[in-house]
Amino acid sequence: MTQAPAQSSKASDMTDKSDYDHTPPTTEQKLEWLRVMQLIREFENRTMQAYQQAKIGGFCHIYTGQEACAVGTIGSVNHDDPVVTAYRDHGHALARGMTPEACMAEMFGKIHGCAKGKGGSMHMFDKPNWLFGGHGIVGAQTPLGAGLAFAEKYKLEVLGEGKKKVTLCYLGDGAIDQGAFHEALNYVSVHNIPVIFIIENNGYSMGTAIHRHTANADNLISRGQSYGIDSIEIDGLDIVDLYNEFKPFAERCRETSRPGFVDLKTYRYQGHSMSDPQKYRTKDEVDTYKEKDSIARLLSQLIESGDFSEDDWKALQKDIKAQVKAAMDFAENSPAPEANELYTDVYANPEKNLSPTTEYNHGLNNPLL
Amino acid sequence: MTTLPDIKPITSDIHPAIEDMIDMPELLPNDQLPPFEGDRVIQYREALREAMSEEMRRDKRVFLLGEEVAEYNGAYKVSQGMLDEFGPERIIDTPISENGFAGMSIAAAMSGLRPIVEFMSWSFSFVAADPILNNAPKMLYMSGGQFGCPIVFRGNDGAGGQLASTHSWCVEALYANVPGLKMAIPSNPYDAKGLLKTAIRDPDPVFFLESERMLGDRAHVPEEEYYIPFGQARLAREGDAITLVSFGRPVNFCLQAAEKLAEEGIEVDVLDMRTIRPLDIDSIIERVKITNKILVVDQSWPFASIASEVVTQICERCFDWLDAPPARLNTVDVPTPYAKDLEYDYLPNPDRIYEAVKQQVGAQ
Ligand SMILES: Cc1ncc(C[n+]2csc(CCOP(=O)(O)OP(=O)(O)O)c2C)c(N)n1
Ligand SMILES: [Mg+2]
């Protein structure tokens, strides 16, 4: 087994990444990213509307502003590399290939949703697309990320099946304050587990600015480094730069079976959740970031290089509008789960006398399977 | 020959490990508390705030700590304005580090302070399960009576807002199993204030269970200071057909069901337990001796629930007074679903209570 260097620093990361694939993205890739980022944005616009109309309930966290993070990092790995994230998960689900239909129907609490309406906005799971969930408890997904990577490595080394994989585990800047995350970091470094912890650092943990909630906030990568994990800081608003940095980093983690730590700087345009008066930040601050919008940036690059025209953009927007509209109709028309679904999916082997009041059974199969 | 020093027995009601034992307020029976009805109508969340603020004005050792409690004015606006009044030394924002800040606060309580720890939701208390279960309730015992732990953990408990499985926990059955802690669960604004004030003064760790679904509920709350004793239930409605025993939000479901039953000529008792530990079993027995039937309505899952405990104690202590097997109605025994209708079916809702009462009243 490869033993990677125990020490890492910003500088050393930069020097040896040339060993790994770092071909710049093709125009095709960029166009695909533009499409998916715009899909997420339109999807989230519709999500907010549907929430206002009370078609969606519970906690709902909007991804707008952060699109380049999910699209750029997921776009740097293989389809069968595992992904796990927190509750702000619509973008990851769509970037992973979940249909907008399954994602929206889930939020509508309908049977054709990815979790049959049992999970809602915070719990997007998609087995065929190697998405192991959105998770609601802050930090809970970080040991899971370690475990997904552990399992793939075990399969390869002990069972002799599969291939070298790298797992992507997303978390917010607020989640780095959780003990579970530090346990996961230590474990994966000691045991050479190829998982990359991607901090989607949008500067706020709910209403608390990063300097108020975490120590050493300007140097987050020192946390990863202190565990001997290769750690880099990446601008999460420019998807091309992001890819050029992240892709070789991910390849190196895969090849050397080492963990990674990424401080991915981004910004969320909307409130923390759908009920956030946002008194902790100014409109000016939000506007400053909107000027650096990742979709607008990629679009203007593509137009400048002549690979895309204003007309193409109009056509793309129109297509996506129609696509998301179709997803809304789908979600609207899908039926709510029947009352019996309350008792299904509780046990894989529902034996007698598990409950004093309830008989469990298997209901409808998950629509994604 | 060894001479062993004399050890004196403890004669005070409150353990000397708690230095300020005289801090306990006078605890009055229900009929001497200020009237439950009145026209000073405020929200449940305001009643909680009033309780904390009054106690903080009285006692500088009391402080509030939790996620978003200060600058954000509380994720659910319970602590709105408290930072302005008490300042950042006493209204303290924490990182999302429940294990860390719960443990820290426990040691602060051992050291003579009076922390109020807010969990944004009790669902997040599992991250802090070790300190809140392993330290707080056992400190007095494990130190052989040297260190007490006067601390309040409070936050939202229970399902109802379509928050799905991880965010909808009812922790009462899980946590009430642990000796050394007390548990209060107010069903209305009046009790929210009176019970929280008692919780802050109590010399033991108190798990205080609120409900996000009730924070906006409005009712009369006396402006004056009052302390509702733990272990003193309130008969919220009096009848003769059956005694409904409940606590927290489902008390309100019972009252709704009772209205509908009354239209059909079925008058039921609704007993609001107010605290789970201590459990006012005497009041339950007193009513069961009149109605001879009991239905416990409990928002925890049935297996080893609070309802199981109440039913067991009733069987042990007044079996002969029952005209029908004691019954319980719990949350359905599955994880909490997100979909709206499924979630409604899952809860011990008024419709399910109505049906269960009809069945019990029919049974002889
Ligand atoms: C253990 C736990 N504590 C508290 C919460 C409530 N909560 C949900 S999200 C959040 C803020 C997290 O911020 P961050 O990790 O930066 O992610 P972002 O929302 O910015 O994407 C909080 C406090 C929770 N879900 N789980
Ligand atoms: Mg954040």
Side-chain angles (χ1 to χ4, degrees):
Chain A
M1 194 172 52
T2 331
Q3 184 69 45
Q7 287 299 314
S8 87
S9 70
K10 243 172 144 174
S12 76
D13 293 325
M14 297 302 122
T15 48
D16 50 353
K17 82 175 175 197
S18 53
D19 296 352
Y20 298 95
D21 171 12
H22 97 275
T23 4
T26 61
T27 306
E28 243 168 30
Q29 275 177 303
K30 290 190 216 169
L31 289 173
E32 174 62 6
W33 294 341
L34 184 71
R35 188 188 68 75
V36 181
M37 290 202 288
Q38 182 60 20
L39 172 65
I40 296 171
R41 184 148 308 176
E42 177 64 17
F43 184 90
E44 293 293 56
N45 286 340
R46 288 295 204 142
T47 299
M48 288 187 277
Q49 264 174 20
Y51 196 94
Q52 308 293 4
Q53 296 164 353
K55 292 184 194 264
I56 298 174
F59 288 150
C60 185
H61 308 82
I62 299 297
Y63 198 59
T64 307
Q66 301 186 202
E67 294 90 346
C69 297
V71 176
T73 50
I74 287 170
S76 300
V77 298
N78 301 327
H79 181 248
D80 56 3
D81 286 322
V83 169
V84 66
T85 185
Y87 45 83
R88 196 180 297 283
D89 57 354
H90 316 158
H92 305 80
L94 296 175
R96 255 287 116 147
M98 184 187 288
T99 62
E101 279 80 0
C103 195
M104 190 55 76
E106 184 54 37
M107 290 196 273
F108 275 51
K110 301 296 186 69
I111 194 71
H112 291 95
C114 68
K116 296 161 70 180
K118 292 179 173 181
S121 162
M122 299 192 288
H123 303 104
M124 297 298 168
F125 286 79
D126 189 342
K127 193 172 183 180
N129 283 315
W130 292 83
L131 174 62
F132 290 80
H135 294 269
I137 299 297
V138 168
Q141 77 279 20
T142 54
L144 297 182
L148 294 170
F150 169 88
E152 293 307 318
K153 184 173 164 166
Y154 186 95
K155 284 183 206 167
L156 184 62
E157 291 180 356
V158 180
L159 306 182
E161 55 189 54
K163 56 184 181 186
K164 281 189 171 180
K165 291 194 180 184
V166 62
T167 294
L168 304 187
C169 175
Y170 298 84
L171 59 152
D173 52 289
I176 64 178
D177 303 335
Q178 279 289 21
F181 178 47
H182 291 261
E183 296 181 25
L185 282 177
N186 183 58
Y187 190 95
V188 297
S189 186
V190 170
H191 287 265
N192 296 309
I193 309 283
V195 55
I196 304 181
F197 293 108
I198 300 170
I199 322 294
E200 290 189 66
N201 181 357
N202 58 18
Y204 292 94
S205 169
M206 199 172 269
T208 307
I210 188 162
H211 290 100
R212 294 183 54 238
H213 77 69
T214 210
N216 219 356
D218 295 324
N219 187 12
L220 289 192
I221 58 169
S222 65
R223 302 247 170 126
Q225 288 165 343
S226 74
Y227 289 101
I229 295 175
D230 282 352
S231 306
I232 53 171
E233 213 176 275
I234 301 180
D235 173 7
L237 298 177
D238 186 316
I239 193 166
V240 176
D241 284 356
L242 193 169
Y243 178 85
N244 287 334
E245 293 282 324
F246 186 76
K247 172 90 200 221
F249 185 81
E251 281 316 307
R252 186 151 55 119
C253 291
R254 181 198 306 281
E255 290 307 322
T256 59
S257 191
R258 284 293 297 166
F261 180 111
V262 179
D263 177 6
L264 189 52
K265 305 251 195 254
T266 183
Y267 199 76
R268 67 167 152 75
Y269 293 173
Q270 300 298 323
H272 167 73
S273 66
M274 289 300 294
S275 53
D276 176 5
Q278 301 182 60
K279 290 189 180 141
Y280 50 84
R281 64 181 186 184
T282 61
K283 195 177 164 296
D284 273 1
E285 181 185 298
V286 181
D287 288 344
T288 314
Y289 279 96
K290 283 187 177 169
E291 277 163 28
K292 302 187 217 164
D293 184 68
S294 53
I295 297 179
R297 196 183 293 200
L298 178 61
L299 176 65
S300 69
Q301 284 171 20
L302 285 165
I303 289 177
E304 250 168 59
S305 62
D307 293 311
F308 208 58
S309 69
E310 289 288 354
D311 284 347
D312 293 338
W313 175 232
K314 280 198 190 109
L316 180 66
Q317 284 176 295
K318 204 172 143 215
D319 282 359
I320 286 171
K321 264 205 162 64
Q323 188 189 359
V324 177
K325 173 72 172 58
M328 305 306 289
D329 293 343
F330 178 93
E332 191 76 64
N333 290 326
S334 168
E338 304 226 339
N340 178 58
E341 283 296 331
L342 200 50
Y343 312 102
T344 70
D345 304 318
V346 182
Y347 287 98
N349 178 15
E351 300 170 86
K352 248 175 50 177
N353 292 337
L354 284 166
S355 165
T357 53
T358 296
E359 292 257 3
Y360 305 104
N361 65 76
H362 298 315
L364 299 178
N365 200 12
N366 185 291
L368 301 185
L369 296 181
Chain B
M1 214 181 85
T2 335
T3 47
L4 296 171
D6 246 13
I7 307 181
K8 292 191 185 69
I10 298 171
T11 53
S12 55
D13 283 346
I14 290 177
H15 199 288
I18 306 298
E19 286 154 40
D20 55 341
M21 44 188 150
I22 46 167
D23 198 36
M24 280 301 281
E26 196 184 359
L27 295 171
L28 302 169
N30 282 338
D31 57 9
Q32 288 173 43
L33 287 171
F36 189 77
E37 311 286 342
D39 54 12
R40 183 175 176 268
V41 174
I42 62 172
Q43 290 185 1
Y44 190 110
R45 59 161 61 76
E46 295 171 308
L48 294 170
R49 186 188 312 149
E50 203 161 277
M52 290 191 287
S53 298
E54 285 175 10
E55 293 304 311
M56 286 185 65
R57 279 174 210 133
R58 183 189 57 83
D59 183 348
K60 278 211 157 148
R61 297 168 308 168
V62 181
F63 63 93
L64 171 68
L65 169 151
E67 291 156 17
E68 310 290 352
V69 298
E71 292 201 7
Y72 198 83
N73 277 304
Y76 296 98
K77 302 293 167 245
V78 171
S79 56
Q80 188 153 38
M82 290 179 71
L83 173 66
D84 286 345
E85 178 175 354
F86 299 104
E89 292 80 18
R90 299 180 68 198
I91 306 292
I92 304 169
D93 278 330
T94 66
I96 314 179
S97 311
E98 286 85 358
N99 195 337
F101 69 72
M104 193 190 90
S105 303
I106 287 165
M110 292 167 67
S111 306
L113 302 183
R114 292 294 183 119
I116 305 170
V117 176
E118 177 173 308
F119 290 125
M120 202 177 278
S121 159
W122 275 99
S123 294
F124 310 149
S125 71
F126 299 121
V127 178
D130 183 60
I132 70 173
L133 299 180
N134 237 349
N135 291 337
K138 297 173 180 167
M139 204 54 80
L140 187 62
Y141 194 82
M142 297 230 310
S143 67
Q146 295 184 68
F147 291 103
C149 191
I151 188 167
V152 177
F153 297 105
R154 46 161 289 270
N156 293 312
D157 175 73
Q162 281 194 270
L163 302 186
S165 296
T166 61
H167 282 47
S168 299
W169 275 89
C170 292
V171 298
E172 42 271 46
L174 280 179
Y175 288 167
N177 188 245
V178 180
L181 60 80
K182 297 178 180 175
M183 185 178 284
I185 178 164
S187 72
N188 59 72
Y190 178 101
D191 288 359
K193 176 172 170 181
L195 288 172
L196 184 52
K197 284 176 69 69
T198 307
I200 295 168
R201 295 275 201 116
D202 196 278
D204 289 307
V206 178
F207 286 34
F208 198 88
L209 277 46
E210 300 154 12
S211 155
E212 187 265 328
R213 294 284 96 190
M214 294 195 297
L215 290 177
D217 286 4
R218 296 163 60 83
H220 171 67
V221 173
E223 190 153 17
E224 67 206 86
E225 299 203 32
Y226 59 98
Y227 296 83
I228 300 176
F230 283 3
Q232 180 170 295
R234 183 179 73 91
L235 192 59
R237 184 174 176 122
E238 192 172 341
D240 51 17
I242 187 169
T243 297
L244 304 189
V245 172
S246 195
F247 36 87
R249 183 165 176 242
V251 169
N252 300 301
F253 299 160
C254 290
L255 291 170
Q256 284 171 39
E259 292 280 327
K260 189 167 163 202
L261 290 158
E263 286 166 18
E264 298 175 22
I266 303 171
E267 290 295 342
V268 304
D269 273 354
V270 177
L271 202 53
D272 183 344
M273 298 314 298
R274 286 176 164 163
T275 59
I276 288 172
R277 215 168 164 146
L279 184 75
D280 183 7
I281 191 71
D282 297 336
S283 290
I284 305 178
I285 292 171
E286 193 181 302
R287 294 309 303 173
V288 167
K289 285 184 176 173
I290 294 165
T291 63
N292 311 112
K293 287 185 178 174
I294 181 170
L295 172 71
V296 187
V297 179
D298 178 0
Q299 64 179 347
S300 32
W301 290 304
F303 206 105
S305 60
I306 309 298
S308 330
E309 180 56 35
V310 172
V311 167
T312 304
Q313 291 195 29
I314 287 300
C315 289
E316 288 166 347
R317 299 183 49 177
C318 64
F319 187 79
D320 291 344
W321 290 87
L322 292 171
D323 284 349
R328 58 178 163 170
L329 179 69
N330 289 83
T331 287
V332 175
D333 207 3
V334 301
T336 320
Y338 162 75
K340 198 172 189 152
D341 293 349
L342 288 188
E343 192 190 39
Y344 182 79
D345 292 350
Y346 162 90
L347 292 167
N349 61 54
D351 296 328
R352 289 182 62 211
I353 297 170
Y354 171 87
E355 291 302 328
V357 169
K358 293 278 277 204
Q359 244 187 28
Q360 280 300 107
V361 170
Q364 237 10 276

